[in-house]
């Protein structure tokens, strides 16, 4: 917002400076040309200022202004040259185009800098005019009054544009800052609401993971000594552990969740070999669940040992689990996918000696 406002003011300043130089300064110079003591000098100064204005305006519109000091110094040299070239008769005439036009080019030279620099240059411009008047004896009260009027009339507009543009850009920055702060508050509110919904979803998953088996145990419908019931409890515990790990702020959430499930299995006496190759890219929670749930379920029912591997790249993540095969009837079916996700493939195989479960995510 601030840049757009400032660019509009820059376009206006460049248009005024060059338009004034061509529409007002040039006709006055051409009309009085034969009568000027040094018309070639005045014309050369006009051309030089026009070239400086074109280059300075082009660079200013590209937000790459020319160095202020050399440009301002060259403009003031042209100022003194024109005052010397027009003679006494045309000091206050249209042929002396620097009176009304040079202030706009000084404005272009110091655009974006402190107002004091523009005031200093306009003061130098007025001082050149006053020194010329005094040196030529044009110092009557009426001439000095006219000088004061010219200084006020030709300096007030550039100063007003300069200060006004800076004020408008400042207000635009303030409004943009206020809007950004309001958006930040709204984003925080939305993030808090999303976190609340995530907590509720996680609580529902936790309840689903453990509620059924706990209810069966409490009602006496399940025997704690039954291997199938024990496997259900281990699966529910592994899923609870993984769901809790989902909310942890860690560099690699997927590996963290798998480690949590492996740690729980190791506490139950299982030897788990976890191997990770590569760094997984940032994955949303549903994708991580789809990758981890089938392996977590299978790991909970594993016996003796398990080998868990994670192979990751920027566009693909593969998670595999190899465990000894179990006796028929001991939960020998394939684990159901935890979350439906079109980007995650689930494969389960067994050959009587080992069981192999794999989930794979590919970037769509």
């Amino acid at each position: 917002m601030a840049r757009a406002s400032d660019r509009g003011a820059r376009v206006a300043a460049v248009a005024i400076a060059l338009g004034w130089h061509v529409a007002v300064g040039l006709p006055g110079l051409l009309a009085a040309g034969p009568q000027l003591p040094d018309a070639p000098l005045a014309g050369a100064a006009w051309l030089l200022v026009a070239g400086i204005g074109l280059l300075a305006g082009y660079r200013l519109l590209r937000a790459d202004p020319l160095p202020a000091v050399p440009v301002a110094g060259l403009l003031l040299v042209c100022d003194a040259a024109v005052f010397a070239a027009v003679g006494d008769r045309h000091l206050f005439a249209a042929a002396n185009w620097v009176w009304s036009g040079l202030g706009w080019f000084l404005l272009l030279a110091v655009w974006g800098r402190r107002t004091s620099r523009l005031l200093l240059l306009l003061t130098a411009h007025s001082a050149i005019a006053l020194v010329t008047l005094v040196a030529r004896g044009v110092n009557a009260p009426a001439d000095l009054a006219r000088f004061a009027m010219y200084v006020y009339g030709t300096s007030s507009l550039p100063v007003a544009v300069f200060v006004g543009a800076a004020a408008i850009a400042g207000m635009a920055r303030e409004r943009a800052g206020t809007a950004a702060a309001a958006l930040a508050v709204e984003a925080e509110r939305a993030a808090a609401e999303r976190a609340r919904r995530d907590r509720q979803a996680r609580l529902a998953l936790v309840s689903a993971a453990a509620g059924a088996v706990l209810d069966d145990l409490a009602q006496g419908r399940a025997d704690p000594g039954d291997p199938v019931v024990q496997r259900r409890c281990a699966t529910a515990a592994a899923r609870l552990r993984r769901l809790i790990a989902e909310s942890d702020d860690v560099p690699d959430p997927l590996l963290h969740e798998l480690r949590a499930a492996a740690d729980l299995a190791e506490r139950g006496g299982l030897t788990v070999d976890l191997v990770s190759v590569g760094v997984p890219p940032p994955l949303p929670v549903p994708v991580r669940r789809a990758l981890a749930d089938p392996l977590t379920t299978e790991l909970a029912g594993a016996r003796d040992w398990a080998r868990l591997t994670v192979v990751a790249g920027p566009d693909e993540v593969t998670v595999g689990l190899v465990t000894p095969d179990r006796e028929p009837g001991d939960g020998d079916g394939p684990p159901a996918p935890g979350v439906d996700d079109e980007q995650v493939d689930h494969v389960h195989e067994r050959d009587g000696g080992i069981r192999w479960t794999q989930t794979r995510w590919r970037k769509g």
Side-chain angles (χ1 to χ4, degrees), residues 32-261:
Q35 304 172 11
L36 298 179
D38 197 344
L41 179 59
W46 188 94
L47 290 174
L48 180 57
V49 170
I52 294 172
L54 287 172
L55 180 58
Y58 173 76
R59 293 282 295 270
L60 187 60
L61 294 180
R62 292 176 60 88
D64 184 24
L66 293 172
V69 174
V71 174
L74 194 55
L75 289 173
L76 291 177
V77 169
C78 293
D79 187 18
V82 173
F83 267 103
V86 296
D88 298 349
R89 180 181 175 185
H90 296 281
L91 280 175
F92 294 102
N96 190 7
W97 51 268
V98 292
W99 262 123
S100 58
L102 194 72
W104 293 105
F105 291 95
L106 295 174
L107 171 69
L108 299 183
V110 295
W111 187 272
R113 295 171 174 83
R114 292 192 298 269
T115 307
S116 58
R117 295 195 178 186
L118 177 61
L119 295 177
L120 180 62
L121 292 177
L122 291 174
T123 300
H125 171 49
S126 302
I128 290 172
L130 182 60
V131 168
T132 303
L133 293 178
V134 173
R136 295 184 178 182
V138 186
N139 53 6
D143 296 324
L144 295 179
R146 185 183 297 179
F147 162 78
M149 291 175 59
Y150 267 64
V151 168
Y152 174 77
T154 59
S155 300
S156 57
L157 283 177
V159 171
V161 170
F162 191 85
V163 174
I168 292 173
M171 288 188 292
R173 290 190 191 93
E174 183 178 354
R175 286 195 294 269
T178 301
L183 288 175
V185 171
E186 179 63 21
E188 289 180 1
R189 187 198 65 77
E193 178 63 21
R194 182 176 178 180
R196 184 186 68 81
R197 291 196 301 267
D198 288 345
R199 285 194 298 270
Q200 290 178 341
R202 188 174 293 109
L203 178 61
L205 287 171
V206 168
S207 300
V213 64
L214 290 177
D215 184 64
D216 288 346
L217 289 171
Q219 298 296 329
R221 293 191 297 267
D223 181 7
D226 187 346
V228 175
V229 175
Q230 293 175 358
R231 186 169 184 269
R232 288 178 60 195
C233 292
T235 301
R239 187 166 295 174
L240 282 171
R241 185 67 177 268
R242 188 189 58 75
L243 290 172
I244 293 172
E246 276 185 359
S247 61
D248 292 344
D249 185 11
V250 291
D252 190 342
L254 175 62
L255 199 58
H256 178 65
E257 294 164 16
L258 293 173
R259 282 198 181 109

Side-chain angles (χ1 to χ4, degrees), residues 231 234-243 257-258 260-262 264-265 288-289 291-302 308 321 335 357:
R231 186 169 184 269
T235 301
R239 187 166 295 174
L240 282 171
R241 185 67 177 268
R242 188 189 58 75
L243 290 172
E257 294 164 16
L258 293 173
L264 185 63
R288 297 204 312 266
R289 287 177 185 168
L291 286 169
D293 260 351
L295 284 82
T296 300
T297 302
E298 186 69 12
L299 189 62
L308 185 62
L321 176 68
T357 304

Side-chain angles (χ1 to χ4, degrees), residues 230-358:
Q230 293 175 358
R231 186 169 184 269
R232 288 178 60 195
C233 292
T235 301
R239 187 166 295 174
L240 282 171
R241 185 67 177 268
R242 188 189 58 75
L243 290 172
I244 293 172
E246 276 185 359
S247 61
D248 292 344
D249 185 11
V250 291
D252 190 342
L254 175 62
L255 199 58
H256 178 65
E257 294 164 16
L258 293 173
R259 282 198 181 109
D263 179 63
L264 185 63
E266 286 180 336
R267 293 184 183 184
L270 185 68
T271 301
V272 181
D273 184 15
L274 176 59
V275 179
S276 175
V277 179
V279 179
L283 298 172
V285 171
V287 173
R288 297 204 312 266
R289 287 177 185 168
L291 286 169
D293 260 351
L295 284 82
T296 300
T297 302
E298 186 69 12
L299 189 62
R303 299 292 183 269
D304 299 329
W305 59 268
R307 183 166 65 251
L308 185 62
T309 59
V310 181
V311 180
D315 300 323
E316 182 176 337
V317 177
T318 302
V319 185
L321 176 68
V322 177
T323 64
D325 202 358
R326 295 190 289 272
E327 295 295 329
D330 187 15
D332 56 350
V339 179
D340 292 332
D341 194 291
E342 295 179 355
Q343 293 180 292
V344 177
D345 300 324
H346 177 211
V347 179
H348 178 78
E349 296 181 1
R350 56 183 301 191
D351 62 3
I354 62 171
R355 299 166 69 96
W356 176 64
T357 304
Q358 177 182 278

